[in-house]
Amino acid sequence: MKYAIRLLTIMFVFVASASMAAQLPDFTELAEKSGQAVVNISTVKIVKNQRNMQQFFRQGPQGQHPFGDFFDQFERFFGEQGQGVPREQRSLGSGFVFSADGYIVTNNHVIEGADSIKVNLQVDKNGDRSYDAEVIGTDKETDLALLKIKTDKPLPFLTFGDSDALRVGQWVMAIGNPFGLDHTVTAGIVSAKGRTIGAGPYDNFIQTDASINPGNSGGPLINMDGQVIGINTAIVASGQGIGFAIPSHLARQVIEQLKEHKIVKRGWLGVSIQDVDENSAKALGLDVARGALVSSVTAGDPAEKAGIKAGDVIVAVDGVPVADAGDLTRKIGDLLPGVKIDLSVWREGKTVKIPLILGERSAEKVAQGRPGAPGSQGEDVLGLSVRPVTEAEAKALELEQARGLLVVEVSEGSKAAQNDLSAGDVILEANGKAVNTVKALRAVIEGDGKEKGVVMLLIKRQGRNVFRTVPLP
């Protein structure tokens, strides 16, 4: 009887194991077929060795070596020969063939600054196939790049799938070719969607536990149908098995623009925005914290022309709800300049529709549109960019009337930043005196502040008053 029970137990474990194994997907065929389009990318960058012998020996214990004059004469005599010797800096990454005629997708950081780029395809019956690559276009904001190689025969390629249809828990496979020897294949599931990791304005990553090995940047994340639903981009150094991929929905739009125009064109509103927190939602009369709160509007840009005001909350674009400030940035960035859209705006307790024609985003406009820059209605004081609070903002900021100065930006490393001033604070008083204009704040700083060597600010923050002090030079 004892032996019969043991035999039944063994049989049960065997059947359960076999059943479990039968449920797990087999990636063999998928890896073999998809891997043919995955490539190794090697780059060379010529850099000068800045730490040359003269610099090293010139620096003495007190900052000046006793033989400094000798090295000065040495450099004047030899000129450039006395400088650092140029050397090659090499790096490796991955990519995949996007079309049969040789277009290849990878990460911008894989090829950025490279003086030469080679694409190495898989070994076939003709041996290694290595090609010089041309950079068609790059997009730093999404960390994508499009390359082109010349080939006399069609290449195996991968197609994009729909990352929007991807569901958490689905199986995915990551492929890379970091060393040009052979592929690395890892499998896992989609852990999360819409992850923000601080990589830029269009953060919207797919998180997966399929290990993304170093050097696999630019390789594809593939679904069970063999379609690219993401481009492997980042790993968490402190975590095991945590990787991030650019979703194909975003990547496909960028790559198609790079292929057609060699640059990426994006829509532009001309507003500074922030998330709506629970307190702001309550103050604004919103049912839940949603949308993007407009903190300032740049003069002459599309939003200002259409009548958008500071204190408005943009809750939808063409009827599609806006979750937060990042979501609005992505939605507008997906659209082309010149496109007409309808913004749903929450204003004074009701939703109004505002038609608007988008401008074109550029690095210059992004810089100018930051709070504190010209045209953002802010003036620099104490390392702060401040401006008077508007009537529209007063209610949202829980003020009984429009008074005080709104902090729209704090300069990194400034005394204000070091003493816990932050964007969104409202300065009500300085050294006990009300300040409703920038001129009034400057007067306190130049007078009583300089005399005492410090300015004590009474600020309104998230509905309550707090004091902060900022020492003066």
Side-chain angles (χ1 to χ4, degrees), residues 189-469:
I189 62 169
V190 174
S191 305
K193 296 173 62 179
R195 283 291 195 230
T196 300
I197 63 174
Y202 302 104
D203 270 20
N204 186 27
F205 289 91
I206 299 168
Q207 181 181 329
T208 176
D209 65 356
S211 297
I212 298 175
N213 302 314
N216 281 9
S217 288
L221 188 68
I222 297 171
N223 63 16
M224 296 305 292
D225 294 323
Q227 299 170 323
V228 178
I229 48 85
I231 298 174
N232 304 323
T233 297
I235 59 175
V236 176
S238 58
Q240 187 172 1
I242 302 177
F244 299 95
I246 302 167
S248 60
H249 167 77
L250 174 60
R252 181 172 51 225
Q253 291 180 332
V254 171
I255 295 304
E256 286 175 353
Q257 283 207 55
L258 290 177
K259 187 176 180 180
E260 185 173 353
H261 306 293
K262 297 190 177 183
I263 59 171
V264 177
K265 295 182 179 181
R266 293 187 172 93
W268 175 254
L269 284 176
V271 293
S272 295
I273 53 176
Q274 60 191 68
D275 292 339
V276 177
D277 59 23
E278 291 183 10
N279 290 329
S280 298
K282 189 181 296 183
L284 291 163
L286 282 166
D287 50 350
V288 294
R290 60 190 173 94
L293 175 61
V294 178
S295 58
S296 66
V297 182
T298 306
D301 273 354
E304 193 260 350
K305 291 177 180 177
I308 301 292
K309 303 175 182 178
D312 287 344
V313 180
I314 301 173
V315 294
V317 177
D318 285 335
V320 181
V322 171
D324 51 31
D327 187 31
L328 177 62
T329 299
R330 290 189 293 271
K331 280 182 166 58
I332 298 301
D334 283 346
L335 300 171
L336 290 173
V339 171
K340 184 178 180 181
I341 62 172
D342 286 323
L343 294 180
S344 298
V345 173
W346 181 261
R347 178 187 291 173
E348 298 178 353
K350 61 182 181 181
T351 302
V352 295
K353 281 193 176 181
I354 298 178
L356 178 149
I357 298 176
L358 292 175
E360 183 174 349
R361 179 187 177 93
S362 66
E364 293 77 15
K365 284 187 177 181
V366 171
Q368 290 174 358
R370 292 191 184 107
S376 71
Q377 304 169 2
E379 293 182 48
D380 291 329
V381 184
L382 294 174
L384 303 168
S385 178
V386 295
R387 59 171 172 75
V389 174
T390 66
E391 292 286 346
E393 292 167 335
K395 185 178 179 181
L397 294 166
E398 300 186 39
L399 296 170
E400 62 276 9
Q401 60 183 357
R403 65 189 183 99
L405 298 172
L406 176 65
V407 177
V408 291
E409 187 176 42
V410 182
S411 298
E412 187 176 352
S414 67
K415 291 291 185 183
Q418 293 169 13
N419 288 276
D420 194 33
L421 272 294
S422 58
D425 289 343
V426 177
I427 302 173
L428 302 175
E429 296 178 2
N431 284 1
K433 297 179 181 178
V435 287
N436 296 318
T437 64
V438 179
K439 183 178 179 181
L441 177 57
R442 291 189 193 277
V444 174
I445 295 169
E446 294 298 323
D448 189 53
K450 279 193 173 180
E451 184 177 335
K452 295 179 178 178
V454 67
V455 175
M456 185 170 73
L457 304 174
L458 173 63
I459 64 173
K460 173 82 76 173
R461 176 180 291 175
Q462 295 181 350
R464 62 191 184 94
N465 291 348
V466 294
F467 284 100
R468 293 292 182 267
T469 56

Side-chain angles (χ1 to χ4, degrees), residues 39 41 95-98 102-106 119 145-149:
V39 302
I41 297 174
F96 62 92
V97 181
F98 167 60
Y103 283 96
I104 291 165
V105 179
T106 187
V119 169
L146 181 65
L147 309 179
K148 178 71 167 66
I149 60 174

Side-chain angles (χ1 to χ4, degrees), residues 45 53 73 196 202:
K45 182 179 180 181
M53 185 178 69
Q73 293 178 20
T196 300
Y202 302 104

Side-chain angles (χ1 to χ4, degrees), residues 97 99-103 148-151 153-155 259:
V97 181
S99 62
D101 54 348
Y103 283 96
K148 178 71 167 66
I149 60 174
K150 293 181 180 179
T151 175
K153 59 181 178 179
L155 300 174
K259 187 176 180 180

